[in-house]
Amino acid sequence: MAASRCGLIGAGIGTSLSPALHEAEGRHHHLGLTYTLFDTGETADLERLLDEADRAGFAGLNITHPFKQQVIKHLDDLSPQARDIGAVNTVVFRDGRRQGHNTDAYGFAQSFRSQLPGVTTRHVVQLGAGGAGAACAHALRELGAERLTIVDPDGARGAELAGRIGARHEKTATPELLADADGLVNASPIGMHHHPGTPLPAESLHRGLWVADIVYMPLETELLRAARARGLRTIGGTAMCAYQAAAAFELFTGRTPDIARMLLHLSQILERQC
């Protein structure tokens, strides 16, 4: 059985499902794949962690909050998409070089197409301009969003992303802003187990709005619960997580994963935890 070592660097990732997801798919491919979590807190010596993983024979590492943009300066090469997005969630060690990729945009776009077909994307409001937010914003342009408003309280970060993709930036999501929107995307950490709550008042969710939340733990965030209570079309973060993991798995191993199997496995794990 071939062996492969992978892992994840991030803050507050102790409950991550990535090890179970990658290792289970690895078994289907007869790989002795192990997936290690490097839970660093909000600060990390990324250079040291990358060096140690490379020397230990890791095939690669996933990168999550809050390091998707910070890690770029420690890499040798970027894929065209990662360069355009300005964020990396997958690092591959190959031929003595560190290659940065972004599978988040692919994951969001694929999950959106499969679960929100036919929705209007004339004006989309997105909450969050971090690493995941940058990927979602690029995916939304690919999905046909004509107008895109990026909402982030970090003015410099929000304005930088908005400027790069030709979007508008606001520091807060006002009822007036949402009243003109067809869709709302939560690409902020609000709603995660470690950041409970809703990113905006439930009363802001008007009839006809669709809502996408990229948070997948918990399975149903407070934002999704409020949107569904109002009869709105919604999509949670489960499918995006599975699609981006499948793309990363292929980069790490060179094997084509079964996305339907990975999505089913992830859904089953999440349902057991509810």
Side-chain angles (χ1 to χ4, degrees), residues 157-180:
R157 182 173 69 175
E160 192 277 332
L161 175 59
R164 278 197 290 117
I165 62 172
R168 171 185 173 190
H169 169 245
E170 297 286 345
K171 288 190 175 183
T172 58
T174 63
E176 293 76 18
L177 177 63
L178 282 173
D180 182 49

Side-chain angles (χ1 to χ4, degrees), residues 19-66:
L21 195 59
H22 282 263
E23 289 176 1
E25 186 62 19
R27 287 192 291 273
H28 285 289
H29 291 265
H30 307 291
L31 298 173
L33 187 150
T34 60
Y35 194 100
T36 305
L37 297 180
F38 298 92
D39 193 342
T40 65
E42 293 293 325
T43 60
D45 186 343
L46 294 174
E47 182 75 21
R48 178 182 60 81
L49 289 171
L50 291 167
D51 282 343
E52 290 178 355
D54 195 3
R55 286 197 300 269
F58 277 61
L61 294 168
N62 284 131
I63 310 295
T64 191
H65 176 79

Side-chain angles (χ1 to χ4, degrees), residues 12-17 188-197 213 215-222 225 269-270 273-274:
I13 57 173
T15 58
S16 171
L17 302 182
S188 80
I190 300 176
M192 297 171 63
H193 285 308
H194 294 290
H195 301 276
D213 195 333
V215 173
Y216 72 94
M217 292 182 68
L219 185 60
E220 184 178 67
T221 62
E222 291 184 43
R225 191 176 305 117
I269 296 173
L270 289 168
Q273 292 185 349
C274 291

Side-chain angles (χ1 to χ4, degrees), residues 41-241:
E42 293 293 325
T43 60
D45 186 343
L46 294 174
E47 182 75 21
R48 178 182 60 81
L49 289 171
L50 291 167
D51 282 343
E52 290 178 355
D54 195 3
R55 286 197 300 269
F58 277 61
L61 294 168
N62 284 131
I63 310 295
T64 191
H65 176 79
F67 305 119
K68 293 182 181 183
Q69 293 160 321
Q70 296 177 29
V71 75
I72 290 177
K73 64 184 178 183
H74 303 293
L75 305 179
D76 299 303
D77 307 300
L78 293 178
S79 70
Q81 188 173 45
R83 185 177 296 107
D84 289 344
I85 293 171
V88 163
N89 77 319
T90 305
V91 176
V92 176
F93 301 118
R94 185 164 295 150
D95 301 325
R97 298 181 70 81
R98 305 167 182 167
Q99 303 172 350
H101 301 263
N102 190 298
T103 67
D104 282 334
Y106 165 79
F108 181 82
Q110 290 297 104
S111 63
F112 190 96
R113 291 188 181 104
S114 66
Q115 298 190 36
L116 286 176
V119 296
T120 302
T121 56
R122 179 186 53 84
H123 179 205
V124 179
V125 173
Q126 177 181 297
L127 311 177
C136 289
H138 278 76
L140 285 166
R141 285 300 196 200
E142 177 187 330
L143 291 163
E146 298 173 27
R147 292 171 52 208
L148 183 58
T149 301
I150 305 295
V151 179
D152 196 297
D154 184 327
R157 182 173 69 175
E160 192 277 332
L161 175 59
R164 278 197 290 117
I165 62 172
R168 171 185 173 190
H169 169 245
E170 297 286 345
K171 288 190 175 183
T172 58
T174 63
E176 293 76 18
L177 177 63
L178 282 173
D180 182 49
D182 302 297
L184 172 70
V185 176
N186 179 37
S188 80
I190 300 176
M192 297 171 63
H193 285 308
H194 294 290
H195 301 276
T198 58
L200 44 72
E203 295 74 24
S204 301
L205 305 176
H206 60 79
R207 183 181 298 276
L209 188 75
W210 55 260
V211 177
D213 195 333
I214 72 168
V215 173
Y216 72 94
M217 292 182 68
L219 185 60
E220 184 178 67
T221 62
E222 291 184 43
L223 175 64
L224 289 179
R225 191 176 305 117
R228 288 167 182 164
R230 285 162 171 75
L232 308 186
R233 294 182 68 179
T234 64
I235 176 175
T238 305
M240 176 181 173
C241 177

